[in-house]
Amino acid sequence: AAALAGQADSCFVTRKESAPVLQKYSAFKKADILGKNIIRIWCQNATGFYKNVNSLVSCPMRAMSILRKKDVVIAPSNENVTEFFDFCKEHLSLEDDQLILTTGKTRSIDAEMTEDVVNTLKQTMAVRSEQAVSAGNKPPVFTLVPTTVNQSFQAWASRVGTDAGEIAIFGNDLQWSQKFSTAALLYRSIKTPDEPSLVETLGSDIRIAKGYVCDDHVGLTQAFKLIGKTCTLRAANPELTFSLAVSLEAELKAYNWRQGPAVLSEYLQPDRADD
């Protein structure tokens, strides 16, 4: 929230290794997809370790605290959400149409973006566009601000196409995220164990526990035998919280392959030495 409120410089370190990130951020600032003339549509979702009922509610509530006039926030139908929005309306001079509610029956905003909710969003955007044109201005640019760009988000965001104005997305490209926002970049694939991992190809000397990325149970069993000691089994997808210490081959069956590729790595004891 601080980054999007204009204090993003404090969110980046200034070490030489961060130069590519800073360069990308400079380009982002030039693009100005979150500028003062842009209408932000906050669609914050709880992910990973924070994917629980409280976080599903608190994520959009944080966005409410920095809403500007015309901005929109999508949030689950919840008594705490509406109460806090009423508080923000009073102190930030917000309007009723700046809040779009979903059913609140699941733990995912993306899963609740039904056709009705998407149509409500499109209608709200159309009103914003009409207001701008009536005032003698160009149609506004809208920016969707998700927690992360993933397939669930893209599934409904692709349906928001509208004549109300240009739409941008604040977040990494989906293909980029699938390549870099995954634990799989740290490890070699069990199918091609002689080929370096993505991190290795970057010339990094970061020490990484021995492990492999596996796409099926056969590969998982093979990786377990190669590591030869107690392992940590988890999903490659960082948004999933499954993690299990495995010491017996039979325990590998606990993994649910609907979560996608798995990572099996040697189990390391934390260093608790005084120094």
Side-chain angles (χ1 to χ4, degrees):
L4 300 180
Q7 303 171 19
D9 287 329
S10 62
C11 298
F12 293 96
V13 294
T14 57
R15 295 173 57 190
K16 293 181 179 179
E17 293 87 340
S18 300
V21 176
L22 293 172
Q23 290 171 2
K24 183 177 182 181
Y25 176 56
S26 297
F28 145 71
K29 290 182 70 176
K30 186 176 181 180
D32 203 27
I33 63 171
L34 290 172
K36 64 180 181 179
N37 296 321
I38 307 300
I39 294 178
R40 305 172 188 170
I41 300 172
W42 295 83
C43 36
Q44 300 286 287
N45 213 357
T47 60
F49 290 101
Y50 308 102
K51 198 165 187 177
N52 54 54
V53 175
N54 290 335
S55 295
L56 182 62
V57 170
S58 64
C59 284
M61 288 171 64
R62 287 198 295 267
M64 291 177 192
S65 65
I66 57 172
L67 276 187
R68 308 163 306 170
K69 290 184 178 180
K70 307 299 183 183
D71 286 348
V72 177
V73 60
I74 302 172
S77 181
N78 178 282
E79 181 179 354
N80 293 327
V81 167
T82 52
E83 182 178 350
F84 185 69
F85 184 73
D86 287 340
F87 173 83
C88 291
K89 279 200 305 181
E90 178 181 352
H91 294 278
L92 300 178
S93 301
L94 303 180
E95 302 293 335
D96 288 335
D97 68 351
Q98 291 187 252
L99 171 64
I100 296 177
L101 293 174
T102 65
T103 62
K105 294 181 179 179
T106 74
R107 296 189 180 186
S108 170
I109 289 291
D110 293 335
E112 297 190 351
M113 292 300 293
T114 62
E115 208 62 43
D116 287 342
V117 177
V118 171
N119 286 336
T120 299
L121 174 58
K122 293 169 69 173
Q123 291 168 7
T124 302
M125 295 167 68
V127 170
R128 298 286 189 275
S129 182
E130 291 172 3
Q131 292 171 338
V133 173
S134 297
N137 301 316
K138 295 180 179 179
V141 174
F142 300 92
T143 293
L144 297 175
V145 189
T147 304
T148 183
V149 177
N150 53 29
Q151 290 180 329
S152 299
F153 165 75
Q154 290 279 38
W156 68 263
S158 62
R159 308 200 311 268
V160 181
T162 176
D163 297 328
E166 182 183 345
I167 302 176
I169 296 175
F170 179 75
N172 293 318
D173 177 81
L174 180 59
Q175 286 69 36
W176 187 96
S177 296
Q178 290 174 334
K179 182 176 181 180
F180 292 101
S181 183
T182 169
L185 65 86
L186 300 174
Y187 305 98
R188 298 185 178 192
S189 169
I190 192 62
K191 292 182 177 179
T192 54
D194 295 327
E195 295 183 9
S197 67
L198 179 57
V199 166
E200 290 177 290
T201 63
L202 298 176
S204 171
D205 58 357
I206 298 174
R207 296 177 61 190
I208 300 171
K210 183 178 181 180
Y212 299 93
V213 181
C214 309
D215 295 320
D216 53 37
H217 187 73
V218 173
L220 202 56
T221 302
Q222 183 182 353
F224 181 77
K225 293 177 179 178
L226 286 175
I227 296 172
K229 59 175 70 174
T230 300
C231 303
T232 298
L233 173 61
R234 65 185 187 278
N237 186 344
E239 295 184 20
L240 303 176
T241 58
F242 177 88
S243 181
L244 178 69
V246 177
S247 56
L248 299 174
E249 184 178 320
E251 295 173 328
L252 298 173
K253 295 180 180 180
Y255 189 73
N256 184 348
W257 290 102
R258 287 180 296 179
Q259 299 180 114
V263 168
L264 191 71
S265 58
E266 61 178 320
Y267 178 80
L268 300 179
Q269 291 285 353
D271 183 356
R272 295 189 174 91
D274 293 337
D275 61 351

